[in-house]
Amino acid sequence: MPALKTALCLLAATCLADDGLRRGLTFHAPFDGGFDAASSADDPACRVRAGGKMVSPTPGPEMRLATDGKFGACLVFPKKGTVRPEYAASRSLAYGTTDWSATVSVWLRLDPDKDLEPGYCDPVQIVGDDVKKGFIFLEWSKDHAPRHFRFAVRPIYHLWNPDAVGWEQIPDERRPMVKMEQAPFRRDRWTHVVFTYHRLNSGKAAVGELYLDGRPQGAIRDWDLTFGWQASKVQLVLAAAYVGHLDDLAAFDRALTAEELTKFHSLAKASVK
């Protein structure tokens, strides 16, 4: 049953091949059977905003399912739109007011400089009840050539932006982010993107790290990464202005180590022959 094998490959890699990874996996959306998560510590239902309400998504011109994913089927966003899949994630990301740690993994396929439309693009966000109380995201910058790829952990507003100026007006060294001026995203291959954060809400001991294809790309350190969210409001949000393919979204309720992430990436690659 090849389709079943590919659909379950990430779960097989983490749950069967490595006991430590299995214990931390709290969310998995393979997109093989639809938009909902296959497993979640929260409500697994996918929701999108429509007419001021949260509803179940249906395939359309802005988002659909396709069979050419990294592991079976995947999400495709053919053009910039307003459809943004959302998943409840308070338990999946183990949000806490002290020592908050987690990992998010996703596979992306696109050429940012050819596929994305003008403006910022965030393929993955973690949001709460107010972005001024915290905001975690992956993004492509809006006006660089080539476009910069970034991972940012923005705590309570005054901690990272005391002068209340625009995001791009702040020098790189004064922004809580990892920046890549060139990143290996292409239309003909999948890129594995993972970010971790460790000990958020514990003062300047906090660390955020970005990995591509199992390799570390940089870290956010020496910041007071304190958030002020209501735990029940924590959401995983996908595809803000994203154009491209997206597959196998997963979350762990702890920050995986560099060694674990190398193993995780190798297991996922090995599961597809």
Side-chain angles (χ1 to χ4, degrees):
M1 299 177 66
L4 180 60
K5 179 181 177 181
T6 55
L8 296 178
C9 69
L10 184 144
L11 286 177
T14 56
C15 294
L16 300 180
D18 188 279
D19 189 58
L21 292 173
R22 179 189 67 206
R23 288 195 299 270
L25 184 65
T26 49
F27 178 95
H28 179 220
F31 309 116
D32 292 291
F35 299 108
D36 293 349
S39 63
S40 176
D42 301 272
D43 182 350
C46 178
R47 296 286 185 263
V48 295
R49 297 183 185 275
K53 297 180 179 180
M54 299 302 295
V55 300
S56 298
T58 56
E62 295 184 5
M63 180 180 72
R64 60 181 173 82
L65 297 167
T67 58
D68 58 341
K70 174 66 177 177
F71 308 115
C74 65
L75 291 182
V76 178
F77 300 88
K79 64 178 182 178
K80 182 177 179 177
T82 59
V83 174
R84 301 180 183 184
E86 298 186 19
Y87 299 90
S90 175
R91 295 184 181 87
S92 296
L93 295 174
Y95 181 75
T97 56
T98 59
D99 199 6
W100 175 33
S101 304
T103 300
V104 175
S105 166
V106 70
W107 293 77
L108 304 175
R109 196 179 84 209
L110 77 158
D111 183 328
D113 297 306
K114 295 179 180 178
D115 297 329
L116 299 181
E117 297 186 28
Y120 288 112
C121 168
D122 293 12
V124 179
Q125 301 173 338
I126 301 176
V127 303
D129 49 305
D130 186 340
V131 295
K132 287 195 173 183
K133 296 179 182 178
F135 192 16
I136 300 173
F137 55 88
L138 299 172
E139 76 167 8
W140 277 280
S141 61
K142 63 179 180 178
D143 54 11
H144 293 96
R147 294 171 82 148
H148 297 172
F149 185 63
R150 301 163 173 163
F151 164 53
V153 181
R154 298 200 320 206
I156 295 172
Y157 192 72
H158 72 270
L159 295 175
W160 70 271
N161 195 4
D163 299 322
V165 298
W167 177 238
E168 295 294 345
Q169 294 176 267
I170 303 173
D172 286 353
E173 64 273 12
R174 291 175 51 198
R175 284 186 278 183
M177 70 177 189
V178 174
K179 180 188 75 171
M180 299 182 67
E181 294 187 1
Q182 294 185 329
F185 295 95
R186 299 199 324 237
R187 286 177 177 172
D188 63 350
R189 69 179 292 274
W190 288 90
T191 300
H192 189 197
V193 183
V194 177
F195 62 84
T196 72
Y197 48 89
H198 181 57
R199 301 195 68 186
L200 271 58
N201 294 331
S202 64
K204 291 192 176 182
V207 178
E209 295 181 289
L210 174 67
Y211 294 79
L212 292 188
D213 293 330
R215 298 183 180 90
Q217 304 300 324
I220 301 165
R221 301 181 186 276
D222 301 320
W223 283 86
D224 181 352
L225 300 178
T226 297
F227 285 57
W229 288 343
Q230 296 180 42
S232 62
K233 302 295 184 180
V234 177
Q235 303 277 326
L236 268 170
V237 181
L238 304 181
Y242 181 70
V243 181
H245 290 61
L246 185 153
D247 200 7
D248 238 76
L249 177 68
F252 297 79
D253 63 359
R254 60 187 179 86
L256 300 184
T257 66
E259 293 76 16
E260 287 176 317
L261 286 169
T262 298
K263 180 184 295 185
F264 177 43
H265 179 70
S266 299
L267 288 168
K269 284 180 61 179
S271 64
V272 178
K273 302 296 185 182

